[in-house]
Amino acid sequence: MLRLLDFASKYFQKQLWETEMGKSIGLSYLNDRGLSTAIIKKFQLGYSPNEWTAFTDYALKHANDLDLLKKTGLTIVKENDKMFDRFKGRVLFPIQNLSGQVIGFGGRTLSNDTTQAKYLNSPESDVYHKSKVLYGLAQARNEIVRSDNCFLVEGYTDVLSMFDSGVENVVASSGTALTEDQIKLIKRFTKQVTVLYDGDFAGIKAGLRGVDMLLAESMNVKVVTFPEGEDPDSFARAHSSSELKSFIEDEAQDFIRFKTNLLADEAQSDPFKRAQLIKDIVQSISVIPDAIARHVYIRESANLLEMPEQTLMNELNKVLSNRLKDSAF
């Protein structure tokens, strides 16, 4: 399967760089996104022709096994034995394991057809488990170790644009909710994580659970939010490398302070929402394994919320006690 996926990656790259369709459609799209030739080649981006069986025919002609084409998800076979390429007409982002071997693909449609999914990923297989992979980690691992920090973003192009701007300690969860396995992958290289959020309140709230999971793994978590309507990709393209780095450095704040400020703005003068905010903050603090760190965060939150520290400590003790009782059954 790994040999076939490597074969496919080379085919898609060849299509991108050496065919008229690849250059005029695929490469043109990537260039319009502001991606440099160096980054496109470093991440081995490719293009799948907008033809039903172009890749499948080529793969079978070169003695590749149809069963493996199905298992990797490169070829879809219907009940009537009709075959077609999964990534027909898409720009391809190879997904690699830590060793740099291609284990799957993400494909972005270039069609205006709104019935098509914008992004399509390889299905789960013997070699590809999306919950255990972070896009860009093979390329970012050395810089993560050197800087002792990992920037966590959502999408492929976020990683690529930041790399292109000289920020190379960045990985993506590729649109999936953050998992324990992904966190453990990061933890092999650093315990410092900076989560980069789009300037979208609903999206930020949806991602808070993932940050609680990072805290539970004893990670030191900071958060950066981009201006409304911006994401790491668009911001990196619109600003210089130094501006991007300065923005991240200036805007990074520890997670508990970030969450307190975020939810406090929402609660404002509503007593019920404010009570729920306190419970949410304490819940996040409760997952931190280190007792001293928990106490430090309780003190900081009490100051931010202008509440007695003991009130938050009582709530924390209640949460921890309930959790202990639950684990006993």
Side-chain angles (χ1 to χ4, degrees):
M1 290 176 78
L2 291 170
R3 280 199 299 270
L4 172 57
L5 288 158
D6 180 65
F7 171 88
S9 181
K10 288 183 169 66
Y11 169 83
F12 295 138
Q13 289 175 71
K14 189 179 177 70
Q15 293 297 309
L16 181 73
W17 292 104
E18 298 180 18
T19 69
E20 285 307 313
M21 187 185 292
K23 287 187 282 188
S24 63
I25 300 175
L27 195 55
S28 173
Y29 165 77
L30 294 172
N31 288 334
D32 287 346
R33 295 300 299 249
L35 295 175
S36 68
T37 296
I39 286 297
I40 294 170
K41 289 188 172 179
K42 183 180 182 71
F43 283 83
Q44 301 171 18
L45 307 189
Y47 175 74
S48 181
N50 194 21
E51 300 167 19
W52 287 106
T53 59
F55 168 71
T56 300
D57 292 344
Y58 181 82
L60 292 174
K61 181 181 174 184
H62 286 79
N64 286 286
D65 184 71
L66 179 59
D67 189 47
L68 286 181
L69 285 165
K70 288 194 289 182
K71 282 183 177 177
T72 54
L74 288 163
T75 300
I76 296 173
V77 181
K78 292 293 191 182
E79 290 177 2
N80 59 3
D81 291 335
K82 185 175 177 63
M83 300 182 295
F84 60 92
D85 297 345
R86 175 179 297 272
F87 297 111
K88 165 185 173 294
R90 291 176 182 265
V91 164
L92 275 297
F93 302 84
I95 300 164
Q96 300 172 335
N97 60 20
L98 268 179
S99 304
Q101 296 170 299
V102 177
I103 55 175
F105 293 92
R108 194 211 190 276
T109 184
L110 302 181
S111 166
N112 293 322
D113 183 356
T114 54
T115 63
Q116 283 191 21
K118 186 176 176 181
Y119 280 96
L120 189 64
N121 276 11
S122 293
E124 297 269 317
S125 72
D126 291 345
V127 296
Y128 174 55
H129 306 281
K130 65 182 178 182
S131 66
K132 298 181 178 182
V133 177
L134 286 162
Y135 181 73
L137 187 56
Q139 291 86 354
R141 55 190 292 183
N142 291 339
E143 183 59 21
I144 290 171
V145 171
R146 192 198 68 75
S147 62
D148 192 23
N149 188 24
C150 176
F151 292 123
L152 183 61
V153 296
E154 188 176 350
Y156 304 121
T157 54
D158 293 328
V159 170
L160 298 172
S161 291
M162 287 188 66
F163 248 85
D164 232 354
S165 290
V167 179
E168 298 188 356
N169 52 325
V170 56
V171 299
S173 57
S174 305
T176 64
L178 194 63
T179 67
E180 284 185 23
D181 286 322
Q182 289 172 330
I183 294 168
K184 284 172 182 171
L185 265 181
I186 297 172
K187 202 173 177 180
R188 290 170 62 176
F189 304 102
T190 183
K191 290 185 73 175
Q192 320 292 325
V193 177
T194 304
V195 184
L196 307 185
Y197 282 120
D198 302 356
D200 167 50
F201 182 76
I204 292 169
K205 283 197 72 176
L208 291 179
R209 181 179 170 274
V211 181
D212 281 359
M213 291 170 68
L214 287 162
L215 292 172
E217 286 291 332
S218 300
M219 305 291 264
N220 180 25
V221 185
K222 292 190 175 180
V223 176
V224 171
T225 50
F226 285 87
E228 189 172 349
E230 295 267 27
D231 57 26
D233 172 31
S234 64
F235 193 90
R237 284 188 282 119
H239 295 81
S240 69
S241 175
S242 60
E243 287 172 335
L244 172 64
K245 291 174 182 176
S246 295
F247 177 83
I248 292 172
E249 189 175 325
D250 294 343
E251 294 295 318
Q253 55 183 312
D254 89 52
F255 171 65
I256 297 298
R257 178 177 288 272
F258 163 76
K259 186 171 183 177
T260 303
N261 290 334
L262 176 78
L263 298 183
D265 286 345
E266 185 186 20
Q268 293 181 349
S269 58
D270 185 322
F272 178 79
K273 283 186 176 178
R274 192 164 174 77
Q276 190 57 51
L277 151 69
I278 294 164
K279 290 180 186 295
D280 281 353
I281 297 299
V282 172
Q283 184 64 38
S284 288
I285 295 172
S286 76
V287 304
I288 298 170
D290 183 71
I292 295 173
R294 287 200 301 266
H295 193 92
V296 170
Y297 278 125
I298 284 290
R299 179 169 294 174
E300 183 178 355
S301 296
N303 288 333
L304 288 168
L305 293 166
E306 298 178 341
M307 289 196 65
E309 185 181 326
Q310 193 57 48
T311 303
L312 296 188
M313 188 58 76
N314 291 343
E315 180 66 21
L316 174 64
N317 289 334
K318 188 166 73 175
V319 171
L320 293 174
S321 175
N322 289 337
R323 190 172 297 152
L324 198 60
K325 287 176 188 173
D326 291 341
S327 65
F329 291 98

